[in-house]
Amino acid sequence: MADTLQTLDYAVLQQCMHCGMCLPTCPTYDATKHERNSPRGRIALMRAIADGDLAVSQAFADEMSYCLGCLACQTACPAGVNYAELFETARSTIERADAQPGAARSFWRWLTLRLIFTRPRLLRAAGRGLRLYQRTGLQTFARRTRLTALLPPAVRRVEPQAPPIAGAFSNRLIAAHETPTGEARYRVALLTGCIQDLVFSDVNRDTADVLLANGCAVDTPPVQPCCGSLHAHNGELDLARGLARRMIDLLPPDRYDAIISNAGGCGSHLRHYGSLLADDPVYRDRARLWDTKLRDVQEWLASIGPRAPKAAPFDEPVTLTYHESCHLVHGQKISRQPRELLRLLPGVSFVELPESSWCCGSAGVYAITQPDQAEALMRRKTANIGSTGATVVATANPGCQLQIIRGLREAGGSALVLHPMSLLARAYRNERG
Amino acid sequence: MQGAPLVGPSIVMSSALSLAPLLAGIVGESNVLTAAEDLVPYGFDGTAALRQRPAAVIFPTTTQQVAECVRLAIQASVPIVTRGSGTGLSGGSVPRADSLVLCLARMNAILDLDLENLTLRAQAGVVTQTIDQTVAPHGLLYPPDPGSMRISTIGGNVAENSGGLRGLKYGVTRDYVMAIETVLADGRIARFGSACVKDVAGYSLKDLFIGSEGTLGVITEVLLKLVPRPAARQTMLALYDDIEAAASTVSAIIAARIIPCTLEFLDHMTALCVEDYAHVGLPTDCAAVLLMETDGHPAAVADEAAKMAAIAREHGAREVRTAKDEAEALGLAAARRNAFSALARRRPTTILEDVTVPRNKLAAMVTFIAETAEAHHLEVGTFGHMGDGNLHPTFLTDERDGDAMARVHHALDAIVTRTLELGGTITGEHGVGLAKKPWLRQQMGDDSFEVMRQVKHALDPNGLLNPGKMFD
Ligand SMILES: Cc1cc2nc3c(=O)[nH]c(=O)nc-3n(C[C@H](O)[C@H](O)[C@H](O)COP(=O)(O)OP(=O)(O)OC[C@H]3O[C@@H](n4cnc5c(N)ncnc54)[C@H](O)[C@@H]3O)c2cc1C
Ligand code: SF4
Ligand code: SF4
């Protein structure tokens, strides 16, 4: 995969025949009706840069920051445009051109992308620090004394949004090797993710339980590197490559029937190590094999024939709806399988969510970089959820889960927001009475 | 012009730019774009190999604003290119370097739905599909459904007199336009047509503006006719090993006095690309597919469907399949709408034609297209609204390959010449714009061509409305 638009295979840009069929699916075009804010417009800008007709300007950087990276356009595009690759190459071009100045920005980028999100132990340490901050009253103290005002603006904006850190991380909840009762039909590796691990480590536990209940032996290395999706998304392709190599070393793909991800955003990146490492002679082949083994957990369960739970996840009957994570539905084209799994749940009536695949505005760090648009999308999502009358919302990506929890809280809604694996795990557990 | 070398970034220091502050005074600052990053994306429409950055783009939201902007631009001799969603396939909204793009995408209010007279009044920037979605809950239908209906604007549809998949039975956009409001080249606001079913007061100038491609005025509002939504419909696929057999089936259905709502044709290449994208179960192992649909009273539908299936079999269909439910039928039609874009999966550049012939000449035409492509060593995918005699041979090529582009041009020339020999037209629905301009005189003949020019001159004496489109 090329690092800049100028070196990218021109055919990738040419693939867009500017028909405009993607426009109605793009949340940012929907908001402004400006071509520049549309997939077609962004690709035209990229092409102009490749052609040397346009500089890698601040305005271009802003535009690529405004793009959600939700990939709705890629699903809509009949011409087969690989927007994911264009998006990452564009962001990488911007990083290399240093179009986004500012020492403070550089420092925070360095701290997060280069330092914390490449070192899993450091990330957990940061998580523990945040947990301490949130639970000891320090947060309240800092806010009341306006100490938070000393934080850089970007961090100040997220500080109140920082999710509650889980009491225990995945390594404390899941053993390195777990086997199902009865015969193991498959051997799988479970990826615990970064945000999932810090905030929703219980989802990882639930995922392991569901896999076990479906006859899979589960390997979960206690310390796992970040998959690199955050880095690739933010234009740091070299870091992303380094992380991909470490991941492949940790979990050699030839040992497993499947390598399981339960976070839509991670999975979407994880299944493209092959193209990321295409120019690496040492890792190329293993990376390709890795891609063939990488499965979203719902995709995997649907493919092996999931066992229907015999008990309901809740004591009372509930109405359930499903929000599609962009990177699950558009990035990985997984849409049918989660619904099939949810429909297996006893005591649950499933209703379709209007605009289920319209971005909720979480989109990685989007809520930090583009708060207004993120907010608007969140409101649209919660209004749609409200219209279904559902009391439980299922979604399979930690970013979406956080965003919707926050959105519903702000809107005064009371619906529970859970990963489909948590719902299934609850049901399986209830079988034991 | 098609395949001509691209003109680079705007080098003309235009007076459009100097108008920007005045325009901002009319439409508001945020509705005037002049930065390079804002302009590049307005340099093209859906047509291949045509690109030119304009000088400025504005987004008026009312007819009054349009009129004021037009007046201002004309006084400063700045050319105006009206644009809807830029899905046009003849380069109609491709600007000139010195021009002002007047984009109506934000002028998108539905103004009135009259359930007594069965009409809908809308601003020109309303998206086509929104119209049908608005009327469907009331049991009504707005029939014209171009492949681009999810994003094309009604103003663009009227300006191109667009057709669609249902054209055979329901007609084209023109058949549903009762009245228009348009801003003329001097900034006056004119209204033609009325809410009356019958109206012969004066010349039918409404019809002059329909299909005028932004060269006579800026259409700001339309009054549309609606019809009752049919109670039933049936969708079928007929599979052929021979493209001529598909064409003769269409001619035979028409000759048998059956008017289905849809008779769409896809050749092997098109079916392959569409299926690759949409996964709707289109067969990919046959030479041609006909998508046939009949709608109306349930009994009539059943009767017509049976007759059509029989005719298809008589004319060599290997198999006729019936969509099992509404979802499958909708899926097939939606997939067909993506045919043109899906063909772009194969090669970087897709150059499509819009030739239309009398329907008894279809078999001759499809054969000629296949032969021409072969003779010029070109890959072609052909699809189209066959029931309307309207074919879209689409050449799959690479605009960077000069030699291939020259061969495409020769092939196009040959196809156009043959079309005219068969009594056909160079464009059935996409308009002349830039792409078909070289052949308009050839089709019209000198006198008729000159009359058109005189009309243009009478309504736009300074030649500032979409200059260079249709004729020089
Ligand atoms: C995938 C695909 C499928 C398509 N399928 C069909 C089809 O089935 N049938 C069909 O007929 N066409 C089809 N088209 C062509 C195109 O979508 C139509 O011509 C459509 O009507 C253009 O609408 P638009 O809003 O995009 O107009 P634009 O492309 O923006 O403009 C088209 C022309 O109309 C003029 N114009 C636009 N708005 C106004 C206005 N308000 N007043 C005056 N002039 C105006 C412009 O100056 C230009 O000359 C298809 C295109 C694509 C990309
Ligand atoms: S990205 Fe795809 S759908 Fe969008 S304009 Fe380009 S080719 Fe058309
Ligand atoms: S990724 Fe999402 S926001 Fe970005 S261009 Fe595509 S649809 Fe629009």
Side-chain angles (χ1 to χ4, degrees):
Chain A
M1 193 174 155
D3 286 310
T4 64
L5 292 166
Q6 293 87 346
T7 54
L8 178 72
D9 179 359
Y10 198 68
V12 181
L13 288 159
Q14 265 187 313
Q15 199 64 40
C16 174
M17 43 97 73
H18 36 89
C19 61
M21 301 294 270
C22 53
L23 266 57
T25 67
C26 174
T28 55
Y29 178 76
D30 182 69
T32 68
K33 300 285 188 285
H34 283 179
E35 279 282 351
R36 170 185 153 169
N37 307 131
S38 81
R40 176 169 73 166
R42 289 178 177 127
I43 296 170
L45 293 178
M46 295 178 204
R47 189 165 165 175
I49 287 171
D51 288 342
D53 287 344
L54 194 72
V56 184
S57 58
Q58 179 62 43
F60 178 65
D62 291 346
E63 190 47 55
M64 290 318 297
S65 156
Y66 189 46
C67 172
L68 291 148
C70 69
L71 304 184
C73 50
Q74 193 163 310
T75 297
C77 176
V81 166
N82 186 345
Y83 190 80
E85 181 172 359
L86 289 168
F87 174 79
E88 289 185 355
T89 313
R91 286 205 169 170
S92 169
T93 310
I94 292 163
E95 281 317 310
R96 278 164 194 253
D98 243 354
Q100 308 206 42
R105 181 179 180 279
S106 309
F107 171 73
W108 285 101
R109 241 184 117 77
W110 171 83
L111 184 71
T112 51
L113 287 181
R114 276 194 191 265
L115 201 67
I116 298 183
F117 275 96
T118 56
R119 292 177 174 71
R121 287 194 177 83
L122 210 55
L123 181 61
R124 278 186 180 149
R128 276 192 293 273
L130 192 54
R131 178 164 69 207
L132 207 67
Y133 172 73
Q134 288 171 341
R135 300 199 179 174
T136 53
L138 201 59
Q139 186 173 44
T140 337
F141 174 76
R143 282 184 191 162
R144 199 175 304 142
T145 55
R146 305 199 144 257
L147 270 178
T148 46
L150 297 175
L151 294 169
V155 180
R156 212 180 312 147
R157 231 181 289 132
V158 251
E159 187 272 344
Q161 291 181 15
I165 300 297
F169 302 137
S170 307
N171 57 331
R172 299 256 304 275
L173 303 179
I174 311 172
H177 307 283
E178 296 192 9
T179 46
T181 45
E183 194 205 339
R185 291 189 290 153
Y186 305 97
R187 182 169 179 206
V188 304
L190 175 59
L191 301 177
T192 48
C194 296
I195 307 298
Q196 196 82 291
D197 180 51
L198 292 183
V199 184
F200 296 115
S201 51
D202 54 325
V203 171
N204 284 331
R205 178 66 258 172
D206 293 338
T207 304
D209 285 345
V210 173
L211 287 166
L212 292 166
N214 282 279
C216 302
V218 184
D219 282 6
T220 314
V223 179
Q224 303 184 7
C226 170
C227 68
S229 95
L230 204 58
H231 307 78
H233 231 64
N234 288 284
E236 299 283 0
L237 290 174
D238 279 335
L239 290 178
R241 288 189 190 103
L243 290 164
R245 290 188 197 100
R246 279 166 57 191
M247 196 66 119
I248 292 173
D249 286 339
L250 179 68
L251 297 166
D254 53 346
R255 269 194 225 156
Y256 297 101
D257 294 311
I259 300 164
I260 302 290
S261 162
N262 61 10
C266 306
S268 172
H269 174 74
L270 279 158
R271 57 204 310 155
H272 298 297
Y273 278 1
S275 70
L276 190 64
L277 296 176
D279 297 327
D280 181 334
V282 182
Y283 279 85
R284 187 165 44 208
D285 293 341
R286 268 177 293 166
R288 265 194 229 121
L289 182 63
W290 171 281
D291 289 0
T292 65
K293 294 290 175 74
L294 202 287
R295 289 286 181 283
D296 173 75
V297 64
Q298 289 137 133
E299 177 190 21
W300 170 249
L301 289 169
S303 73
I304 62 172
R307 175 168 83 69
K310 291 191 270 293
F314 301 100
D315 300 336
E316 303 286 321
V318 298
T319 305
L320 169 81
T321 196
Y322 174 63
H323 159 72
E324 313 203 53
S325 137
C326 293
H327 283 237
L328 197 57
V329 58
H330 303 306
Q332 304 185 62
K333 305 282 179 276
I334 293 168
S335 179
R336 171 182 52 84
Q337 299 92 327
R339 290 178 167 84
E340 283 172 11
L341 291 172
L342 293 169
R343 283 180 194 280
L344 292 179
L345 291 166
V348 167
S349 71
F350 183 84
V351 285
E352 272 299 336
L353 176 64
E355 303 186 327
S356 64
S357 62
W358 194 263
C359 182
C360 67
S362 153
V365 293
Y366 198 81
I368 306 166
T369 55
Q370 304 283 344
D372 297 341
Q373 178 65 8
E375 189 75 14
L377 288 170
M378 184 178 82
R379 291 223 189 88
R380 183 166 173 159
K381 184 59 67 182
T382 42
N384 275 322
I385 290 172
S387 79
T388 63
T391 48
V392 182
V393 183
T395 190
N397 186 53
C400 304
Q401 198 172 342
L402 282 170
Q403 176 85 341
I404 295 174
I405 288 172
R406 196 162 65 82
L408 288 174
R409 192 177 54 220
E410 282 175 21
S414 61
L416 276 175
V417 188
L418 293 167
H419 193 289
M421 288 308 112
S422 300
L423 288 160
L424 278 168
R426 275 173 106 118
Y428 288 133
R429 273 176 219 134
N430 288 346
E431 286 176 349
R432 286 174 241 139
Chain B
M1 184 73 199
Q2 186 137 27
L6 309 176
V7 194
S10 149
I11 36 165
V12 188
M13 181 47 215
S14 89
S15 43
L17 214 52
S18 54
L19 281 188
L22 294 173
L23 292 166
I26 301 169
V27 295
E29 202 134 347
S30 63
N31 285 323
V32 181
L33 307 179
T34 53
E37 288 80 2
D38 284 311
L39 300 179
V40 164
Y42 288 93
F44 49 82
D45 63 1
T47 320
L50 295 173
R51 216 182 326 152
Q52 175 58 58
R53 198 184 293 183
V57 183
I58 57 168
F59 295 85
T61 47
T62 64
T63 303
Q64 216 54 46
Q65 287 181 358
V66 173
E68 284 177 46
C69 293
V70 168
R71 226 172 284 139
L72 203 62
I74 298 299
Q75 275 161 13
S77 293
V78 170
I80 297 169
V81 178
T82 308
R83 180 184 170 104
S85 290
T87 65
L89 296 177
S90 55
S93 54
V94 176
R96 276 186 1 185
D98 58 351
S99 58
L100 174 69
V101 170
L102 205 144
C103 182
L104 298 188
R106 285 186 171 176
M107 214 164 136
N108 57 354
I110 292 197
L111 302 169
D112 182 41
L113 171 57
D114 183 340
L115 294 175
E116 289 181 330
N117 289 303
L118 307 190
T119 59
L120 179 142
R121 199 158 61 83
Q123 284 188 310
V126 170
V127 166
T128 315
Q129 178 163 287
T130 311
I131 294 171
D132 193 47
Q133 279 171 344
T134 306
V135 305
H138 303 281
L140 294 170
L141 175 73
Y142 173 70
D145 59 343
S148 51
M149 68 181 190
R150 291 188 60 201
I151 184 65
S152 68
T153 64
I154 189 68
N157 292 171
V158 173
E160 298 286 12
N161 189 17
S162 298
L165 273 58
R166 298 190 273 239
L168 175 54
K169 173 170 173 180
Y170 290 99
V172 295
T173 304
R174 181 186 304 280
D175 300 308
Y176 295 88
V177 179
M178 299 183 72
I180 59 166
E181 176 189 81
T182 175
V183 172
L184 302 173
D186 55 8
R188 277 180 299 168
I189 299 168
R191 294 183 181 81
F192 302 114
S194 70
C196 301
V197 173
K198 298 164 74 169
D199 182 352
V200 294
Y203 298 133
S204 182
L205 292 188
K206 166 196 87 175
D207 285 294
L208 180 62
F209 281 81
I210 299 171
S212 64
E213 305 187 20
T215 64
L216 301 180
V218 180
I219 297 158
T220 46
E221 222 181 274
V222 293
L223 182 71
L224 302 170
K225 181 170 93 177
L226 308 168
V227 298
R229 235 178 159 74
R233 79 160 135 195
Q234 191 156 324
T235 303
M236 295 176 291
L237 288 178
L239 283 43
Y240 298 85
D241 291 324
D242 170 9
I243 53 174
E244 265 190 73
S248 54
T249 299
V250 171
S251 306
I253 290 175
I254 308 285
R257 316 279 193 273
I258 300 172
I259 308 290
C261 75
T262 296
L263 282 179
E264 291 288 317
F265 168 83
L266 299 91
D267 72 355
H268 173 245
M269 173 72 79
T270 311
L272 204 67
C273 290
V274 171
E275 181 56 19
D276 191 30
Y277 164 65
H279 309 293
V280 285
L282 271 184
T284 52
D285 62 341
C286 49
V289 183
L290 275 186
L291 175 70
M292 313 193 289
E293 194 166 293
T294 144
D295 67 1
H297 187 276
V301 165
D303 180 49
E304 261 182 23
K307 282 188 185 142
M308 282 157 62
I311 294 176
R313 283 197 198 89
E314 273 163 38
H315 284 80
R318 181 175 86 193
E319 190 189 334
V320 179
R321 297 180 189 168
T322 302
K324 62 177 185 313
D325 53 21
E326 178 79 0
E328 188 180 341
L330 286 174
L332 286 169
R336 153 60 191 94
R337 287 199 184 89
N338 290 317
F340 170 49
S341 311
L343 277 165
R345 297 171 89 79
R346 293 284 291 202
R347 296 296 308 279
T349 310
T350 37
I351 296 186
L352 107 161
E353 265 306 313
D354 183 30
V355 291
T356 306
V357 292
R359 289 168 295 195
N360 62 348
K361 301 290 192 313
L362 278 166
M365 200 61 217
V366 291
T367 315
F368 183 80
I369 290 166
E371 286 168 2
T372 308
E374 210 181 307
H376 291 84
H377 309 288
L378 291 165
E379 232 183 336
V380 73
T382 301
F383 63 98
H385 314 294
M386 211 174 221
D388 306 339
N390 188 187
L391 294 171
H392 298 314
T394 305
F395 291 101
L396 313 179
T397 179
D398 187 340
E399 62 187 282
R400 290 175 302 171
D401 181 345
D403 180 53
M405 289 299 278
R407 279 184 279 125
V408 168
H409 205 79
H410 287 133
L412 292 180
D413 240 348
I415 289 174
V416 165
T417 304
R418 184 77 188 126
T419 302
L420 296 180
E421 281 167 14
L422 292 172
T425 171
I426 54 174
T427 172
E429 58 178 18
H430 296 161
V432 176
L434 292 169
K436 308 291 185 295
K437 192 164 69 167
W439 297 291
L440 185 61
R441 189 187 277 271
Q442 189 183 344
Q443 171 169 340
M444 303 303 302
D446 288 345
D447 287 345
S448 319
F449 184 78
E450 283 311 324
V451 172
M452 285 196 184
R453 278 237 276 238
Q454 282 167 348
V455 170
K456 162 77 177 170
H457 188 75
L459 285 169
D460 178 23
N462 301 312
L464 289 170
L465 292 181
N466 215 358
K469 308 295 160 63
M470 228 184 277
F471 19 62
D472 289 312

